[in-house]
Amino acid sequence: MIVEMRRGATQAQIAGVVERAGSFGFQTQLNIGTDKVVVAILGSDTGRVPTDVFAVLPGVETVTRIMRPYKLASRDFKPDSTIVPIGSLSVGGPQVIVMAGPCSVESQEMLLRTAQHVVKHGATVVRGGAYKPRTSPFSFQGLGEEGLRILREVRAQLGVPIISEVTEVHQLAEMAESVDVLQIGARNMQNYPLLRAAGSTGRPIVLKRGLAATVTEWLQAADYILAAGNPNVILCERGIRTFEDSTRFTLDIASIGVIKRFSHLPVIVDPSHAAGHYALVPTLARAALAAGADGLIIEVHPDPVNALSDGLQSLTFSDFSRLMGELRAIAGAMGRTL
Ligand code: PEP
Ligand code: MN
């Protein structure tokens, strides 16, 4: 249920709504907009309470039931688009953000070289996995703590924000020290303890869409992070499983429009994991920006032939610089900067 307060409603009137919700055992979350406050009434059984119990309270403008299964991620709760800060960058504003780097951190030398190259060509966040959720337990699992040390080192040298994936709750304390943005991977989109714990770090989080998740399930997963009091969620479309097998996953370009319509959260696109092949990455990256994505996360490797993970879908340095030129033109045509 969504309680929209009147313009100029007092703190006491807002507290009155929160208190009444509490008396029914419901939780609340406030959206303090530029000229109005909206109170979300949260509970699995808000249907048992008539809207009138809130509508009669002083300072209340309207009370609406949200029929969508996600609440905090919905535009009904927060009509204004969310802008997620990453240091001095803003995700969801006019600037398109490109995050780029290797699938896995393999050594300090390779991460540094890759980071220098992608930053020089316009990437503003560097990616690199230290903990890799691999489909086979016999595949390279990432350098773990050593990978985090390398990420810290490169961040200190270049002063660029870093994104890396967290796969288990116990990694969070060290991850939060080492990286600026936490990535929750497709395979963990419905790992609810991880969503809650990552949410409570307060760090910006890139939440990838599960391989077989609907947009609704994805936004419900975002609600777990938002309900932990962390508003800094960036959604990431990375393709879903379909019957089509000529790409690794089918990039659901339409989800960008769906998210923009029903949610206030920014959305970026990962063309690399969807494509599965370097030759297709530019096509998907260009389409994503034209469709209105707020950014991209792209795998780049100094020597894809010898990469320890995802070499086939990794761009070489020259592929990446060429693509950035094309993306700049598309961003411009969309009235954005890159
Ligand atoms: C990754 O970013 O390297 C990754 C494993 O992505 P996803 O979770 O989308 O498969
Ligand atoms: Mn990868």
Side-chain angles (χ1 to χ4, degrees), residues 248-262:
R248 188 173 178 192
F249 294 94
T250 298
L251 186 69
D252 182 10
I253 280 287
S255 78
I256 299 158
V258 176
I259 293 290
K260 291 286 171 197
R261 182 165 175 215
F262 294 115

Side-chain angles (χ1 to χ4, degrees), residues 248 271-286 298-301 304-305 310-316 319-320 322-323:
R248 188 173 178 192
S272 307
H273 290 84
H277 193 288
Y278 63 89
L280 295 169
V281 170
T283 307
L284 301 186
R286 292 186 301 246
I298 304 174
E299 288 185 341
V300 179
H301 196 286
V305 173
D310 287 346
L312 185 58
Q313 69 197 31
S314 297
L315 297 187
T316 60
D319 285 344
F320 180 74
R322 190 176 327 112
L323 175 60

Side-chain angles (χ1 to χ4, degrees), residues 103 127 132-133 165 183-187 208-209 211 238 248-249 270 273 297 299 310 313:
C103 178
R127 67 152 286 152
K132 296 306 302 175
E165 178 166 355
Q183 174 177 324
I184 302 223
R187 290 159 188 79
K208 288 191 141 192
R209 181 178 183 177
L211 342 173
R238 46 80 72 213
R248 188 173 178 192
F249 294 94
D270 173 350
H273 290 84
I297 180 164
E299 288 185 341
D310 287 346
Q313 69 197 31

